[in-house]
Amino acid sequence: MMSGKSVSAVTQVHPQSLARRFSTLLYSHSKVRLALLLAAPLTWLVLVYIAALAALLVTALWSVDSFTGDIKTDWTFKNIAQVLTGALYQTVTFRTLGIAVLVTVVDILIALPIAFFMAKIASRRLQGILVIAILMPLWASYLVKAYAWRSVLSNEGILQWLLRPIGMDTPGYGITGTIITLGYLWLPDVILPIYAGLERVPNSLLEASSDLGAKTSRTLRLIVLPMLVPAIVAGSIFSFSLTMGDYITVNIVGGANQMLGNLVYTNVGAANNLPLAAAIALIPVIIMFVYLTAVRRTGALENL
């Protein structure tokens, strides 16, 4: 018979040997190790993101009974055809796309000098202060910032008070006010990727360009900007995608203008037409898919 001491020794060694065997298996089979590492995030991605997009597409192919208001699950392309051919949806789509492009361009033009100063001119201590200053607006409520800009853009706001002495007027509520507000909201998301990209530009390249007699503008155009393109595109993805999906800001400062998000919200709520809302929601999804496919080759996705 086996003594109690021997049984205890076996029970202690057996789990260790299993763990050691499993560890050896993982070490010798890199594909198994990679599969276990990616299993959880890929499962989450498939269930939450891809499945949601598939459900959105399927819902867009349904219809609503005009008498009862119930959703009919018979597949039809009526909603998609209505969105593609309707004058209202075409107008709102081009308006949303134009606002997204303008917000992105404005943010990039503002972010470039700020990020360059932070990365190449400011001291380490000042860099930390500026990064905190840029991140601080992200801690405030989205609605608080949007309504603050509503107050600033009003006829009796601070912007009107500043512009009146020089004969100018506040843009008020409209597309211009929407672009200004959205540009402010997404500016930190554009500055930070560009700042990170400039941090990776070696100072030795700038010094070598200066030693060879190149002017500052030529150095920026021929050396810095080509290396900075992936970071700029990465920042543009944030501002462009967030603007394409926004519907709250235009309600607050956009006056009577609408964006695609407003049409989705209206059809989900007041109109109670979920299939048509799903068809409208496919527009920014398709636009972003085309945009991401176009910029994938720039390496911008690696900077996100």
Side-chain angles (χ1 to χ4, degrees):
M1 294 183 61
M2 187 179 294
S3 65
K5 185 176 181 180
S6 300
V7 172
S8 176
V10 171
T11 57
Q12 291 178 1
V13 171
H14 185 63
Q16 294 179 359
S17 61
L18 288 177
R20 187 174 301 158
R21 269 183 254 163
F22 184 68
S23 176
T24 303
L25 175 67
L26 293 180
Y27 180 78
S28 58
H29 295 80
S30 59
K31 292 183 178 179
V32 176
R33 187 168 68 248
L34 180 63
L36 291 176
L37 180 65
L38 297 179
L42 285 178
T43 302
W44 178 262
L45 177 66
V46 171
L47 293 179
V48 175
Y49 188 72
I50 298 179
L53 289 179
L56 183 69
L57 177 60
V58 171
T59 305
L61 299 177
W62 295 346
S63 61
V64 175
D65 191 294
S66 58
F67 294 100
T68 63
D70 296 332
I71 295 178
K72 298 188 297 184
T73 56
D74 300 330
W75 285 20
T76 176
F77 290 95
K78 178 181 177 181
N79 295 319
I80 296 178
Q82 181 179 350
V83 168
L84 292 177
T85 59
L88 170 64
Y89 305 107
Q90 292 176 356
T91 301
V92 175
T93 297
F94 284 114
R95 179 188 300 138
T96 304
L97 185 60
I99 291 174
V101 171
L102 288 174
V103 168
T104 301
V105 171
V106 169
D107 277 352
I108 290 174
L109 293 177
I110 297 175
L112 280 172
I114 296 175
F116 185 83
F117 177 81
M118 292 171 56
K120 298 303 179 184
I121 299 177
S123 63
R124 285 295 176 184
R125 181 179 180 183
L126 184 57
Q127 282 183 11
I129 295 174
L130 291 174
V131 169
I132 294 175
I134 291 171
L135 291 175
M136 282 185 65
L138 298 178
W139 303 337
S141 169
Y142 173 99
L143 289 176
V144 169
K145 291 182 287 187
Y147 275 106
W149 271 104
R150 179 179 176 86
S151 176
V152 170
L153 295 169
S154 67
N155 290 330
E156 301 299 328
I158 187 173
L159 189 59
Q160 174 75 355
W161 178 76
L162 291 173
L163 295 178
R164 186 177 297 165
I166 58 176
M168 298 179 66
D169 198 3
T170 175
Y173 306 139
I175 293 180
T176 303
T178 302
I179 293 172
I180 293 173
T181 304
L182 289 174
Y184 166 79
L185 290 173
W186 314 141
L187 183 59
D189 298 306
V190 181
I191 292 177
L192 293 177
I194 296 177
Y195 166 69
L198 282 168
E199 282 275 275
R200 291 193 287 269
V201 176
N203 292 330
S204 57
L205 285 179
L206 306 181
E207 296 171 357
S209 177
S210 177
D211 292 340
L212 292 173
K215 296 181 179 180
T216 303
S217 59
R218 187 176 178 85
T219 301
L220 293 175
R221 179 166 50 88
L222 298 180
I223 296 178
V224 177
L225 282 180
M227 299 180 66
L228 204 58
V229 168
I232 293 175
V233 175
S236 73
I237 291 173
F238 285 113
S239 60
F240 187 80
S241 61
L242 291 171
T243 302
M244 286 293 298
D246 189 271
Y247 72 97
I248 298 176
T249 296
V250 71
N251 278 339
I252 296 174
V253 299
N257 296 289
Q258 287 185 314
M259 295 173 65
L260 286 172
N262 301 108
L263 296 183
V264 173
Y265 177 79
T266 301
N267 282 281
V268 170
N272 193 28
N273 193 338
L274 184 60
L276 182 57
I280 298 171
L282 287 175
I283 298 176
V285 172
I286 294 173
I287 291 175
M288 283 307 305
F289 178 79
V290 172
Y291 184 60
L292 291 175
T293 302
V295 304
R296 183 176 61 88
R297 296 181 180 274
T298 67
L301 301 182
E302 300 175 1
N303 288 269
L304 293 177

